[in-house]
Amino acid sequence: MTETIVHGRPKGFFATFERRPGPIKKNMHYCPGCGHGILQKLIAEAISDLQIQDKTIIISPVGCSVFSYYYFDCFGISVPHGRAPATATGLVRSNPDSIVISYQGDGDLGAIGFNNFIQAANRGENMCVFFVNNAVYGMTGGQMAPTTLPGQKTLTSPYGRSTDNEGYPLKVSEMVAALDSPVYVERAALSTAKNILAARKAVRKALRNTIDRKGFSMVEFLAGCPTNLKLDAKAMNEFINNRMIPCFPLGCFKDIADERDPIRRPAGIYDRKKVRELLYPVRVEKGVPPDFRNNSEIFQKTRKIKLGGFGGQGVLSLGKMIATMGRLRNFNVSWLPSYGPEMRGGTANCSVIISRKTIGSPVIDKNCNLLIVLNQPSMDKFLPELKQNGVLIYDSTTIAKPDCSPDKIVYAVDASNIAKKIGSLMYANSVILGALAVALDSYFLTPADQADFDRTFEEAIMDCFSNKETIIKLNIEAFYAGKKAVIESRAGKK
Ligand SMILES: Cc1ncc(C[n+]2csc(CCOP(=O)(O)OP(=O)(O)O)c2C)c(N)n1
Ligand code: SF4
């Protein structure tokens, strides 16, 4: 007698599951009767029938399906809980030819990852989401999910889900269909043969939309988790048919793919030179060659700079200018602003680190080498963080002379008054940078690096304020006024 195999293993699966650890290489790890096994077979069949194996990427976040890549003979990624739509977005935006499937459970999609999911749907990303609604958290042992039915007992709702306490189940398909961007939303069930055939059709339709770049498609599958619901296969199907379907009606909620043109989004740019040109146009025009090095000893070590003042005084842009100066001279730099209520009149501060080495953390909480302060509260707060032999530069128009230990190098600059004469208080930050240039000149820089400092400052100003010619001009004026004032006051003292 010869046997005819009518429904064999789909070609979209590996012949043996070599990626699966342990001795079992032929069977899936899903429990008998689990909806994941049924759905993955439908997806594998569709991938091979549509001949998209070489460009399909299945993303499985956390949940029972996290090991999907054991089975599918295509690309696969496992990602953190709830993050598949974000990863899918990156994949499809960087390679619009890829067919990206975000395969998610109800805990993953409806709870921890809901915002990720709904934003991707609303952006109309060209991807398909296969959403497995089994009404519980399967992997972790059957806790209540956003889709758990009213009255359904789970590990964390032992008396049944109370709608008074936990609200009603989340109707994801209905919600997504209400958005304008998604093109196709259907709910199917993995219970009877008829339902499974409808599910099979829906899988193919969603994939076809993705191949045709029609945008966001989602199919929700009502699925069984017999293990956690403690039901045998027959009772599991009855639960889906008699309990789940009345709560989550089957059918197509939206199908407008035919009305939509294929999505065309800007292609990604990967050429390093082009990326650099786009990000840093000034650098390309004016920057030094990539092997340029400042030779002064001060640059051999990582330098930590803290800047504080009132919100609106230009403290953050002063930090940015210094960071830009470093970047334009091939240093690694970080700029970490501190926002918050400070932006509305309180103190604002930022941390800048300049280093030849990789910068591990942009945070400076003690031991800064240079402290620049433009208001009294920042002086009071940050002076204790200044390292021994550190440099302090402050606006003496507004801040009282600090009580510093003698090892510190202190520059008092009448910055606000000088800036006012130039036209606005907002130039006080560039005045301060002028003072910094003098401090560095006097103590730390070689003549070649001194000459380079002014040039770098001008380049940084142009980089930070591109296209604002008057602002560039007045900031440069403020910088030189700051330098002059410090040099004159020191000459006066002599
Ligand atoms: C950040 C994070 N939080 C929580 C967990 C624990 N966890 C693992 S799977 C899971 C829920 C899975 O349920 P579902 O998404 O419905 O998938 P199923 O297992 O039912 O297929 C949770 C909460 C985790 N792994 N990571
Ligand atoms: S625990 Fe539930 S969801 Fe997970 S494999 Fe078993 S039946 Fe499937």
Side-chain angles (χ1 to χ4, degrees), residues 9-14 43-45 47-48 53 71-74:
R9 172 169 304 208
K11 292 200 179 65
F13 283 145
F14 291 115
I43 297 171
E45 265 181 6
I47 289 174
S48 74
Q53 254 168 295
Y71 312 122
F72 288 95
D73 187 5
C74 63

Side-chain angles (χ1 to χ4, degrees), residues 88-109:
T89 301
L91 286 167
V92 74
R93 292 273 178 141
S94 57
N95 180 7
D97 287 333
S98 53
I99 309 297
V100 181
I101 298 172
S102 178
Y103 185 104
Q104 301 183 255
D106 44 18
D108 185 86
L109 182 149

Side-chain angles (χ1 to χ4, degrees), residues 85-86 89 93 116 118-125 181 216 263 265:
T89 301
R93 292 273 178 141
N116 250 250
I118 205 84
Q119 299 297 347
N122 199 42
R123 288 193 302 272
E125 299 298 342
S181 296
F216 192 90
I263 290 183
R265 289 192 154 132

Side-chain angles (χ1 to χ4, degrees), residues 30-31 34 36 64 134 138-139 224-228:
Y30 301 118
C31 311
C34 172
H36 286 301
C64 278
N134 58 14
M139 186 187 213
C225 174
T227 302
N228 285 307

Side-chain angles (χ1 to χ4, degrees), residues 332-349:
N332 294 316
V333 295
S334 67
W335 172 76
L336 183 70
S338 168
Y339 294 100
E342 291 102 327
M343 293 299 283
R344 292 180 288 278
T347 55
N349 72 78

Side-chain angles (χ1 to χ4, degrees), residues 20-279:
R20 196 179 166 186
I24 301 172
K25 304 291 184 198
K26 294 232 163 188
N27 299 349
M28 293 178 141
H29 71 285
Y30 301 118
C31 311
C34 172
H36 286 301
I38 304 170
L39 175 58
Q40 296 202 352
K41 189 168 179 186
L42 300 181
I43 297 171
E45 265 181 6
I47 289 174
S48 74
D49 288 355
L50 294 168
Q51 299 183 335
I52 52 172
Q53 254 168 295
D54 59 345
K55 51 184 174 178
T56 298
I57 307 164
I58 299 187
I59 309 174
S60 328
V62 176
C64 278
S65 61
V66 70
F67 297 126
S68 301
Y69 66 88
Y70 289 167
Y71 312 122
F72 288 95
D73 187 5
C74 63
F75 300 100
I77 311 182
S78 294
V79 299
H81 213 5
R83 300 306 179 251
T87 309
T89 301
L91 286 167
V92 74
R93 292 273 178 141
S94 57
N95 180 7
D97 287 333
S98 53
I99 309 297
V100 181
I101 298 172
S102 178
Y103 185 104
Q104 301 183 255
D106 44 18
D108 185 86
L109 182 149
I112 191 169
F114 192 70
N115 189 40
N116 250 250
F117 160 76
I118 205 84
Q119 299 297 347
N122 199 42
R123 288 193 302 272
E125 299 298 342
N126 187 45
M127 58 193 260
C128 44
V129 175
F130 292 143
F131 167 40
V132 181
N133 173 1
N134 58 14
V136 280
Y137 287 7
M139 186 187 213
T140 42
Q143 293 85 354
M144 195 183 85
T147 51
T148 294
L149 302 178
Q152 184 184 336
K153 290 185 179 164
T154 69
L155 213 60
T156 46
S157 57
Y159 302 108
R161 178 180 184 147
S162 150
T163 52
D164 286 346
N165 208 36
E166 285 98 38
Y168 287 86
L170 199 66
K171 304 212 172 172
V172 174
S173 290
E174 286 83 344
M175 292 172 80
V176 177
L179 300 174
D180 289 332
S181 296
V183 292
Y184 173 54
V185 183
E186 175 143 1
R187 186 183 285 125
L190 302 170
S191 49
T192 61
K194 185 174 162 225
N195 286 343
I196 291 172
L197 283 174
R200 182 175 185 269
K201 229 169 123 187
V203 166
R204 284 157 191 256
K205 190 159 187 158
L207 282 171
R208 173 52 64 199
N209 288 343
T210 310
I211 295 166
D212 295 342
R213 298 199 189 177
K214 291 300 180 93
F216 192 90
S217 295
M218 183 194 83
V219 187
E220 175 177 347
F221 300 91
L222 305 184
C225 174
T227 302
N228 285 307
L229 270 65
K230 300 183 177 48
L231 299 172
D232 62 23
K234 186 162 173 278
M236 187 68 249
N237 271 346
E238 282 166 7
F239 181 87
I240 297 174
N241 294 338
N242 303 333
R243 300 272 312 272
M244 289 184 81
I245 292 176
C247 178
F248 299 110
L250 303 185
C252 181
F253 292 84
K254 185 171 188 186
D255 181 7
I256 55 161
D258 287 346
E259 298 163 24
R260 292 274 167 94
D261 290 331
I263 290 183
R264 295 269 168 250
R265 289 192 154 132
I269 296 170
Y270 302 103
D271 180 77
R272 287 179 72 162
K273 200 164 157 257
K274 282 195 187 132
V275 170
R276 175 167 277 205
E277 277 169 18
L278 282 170
L279 287 177

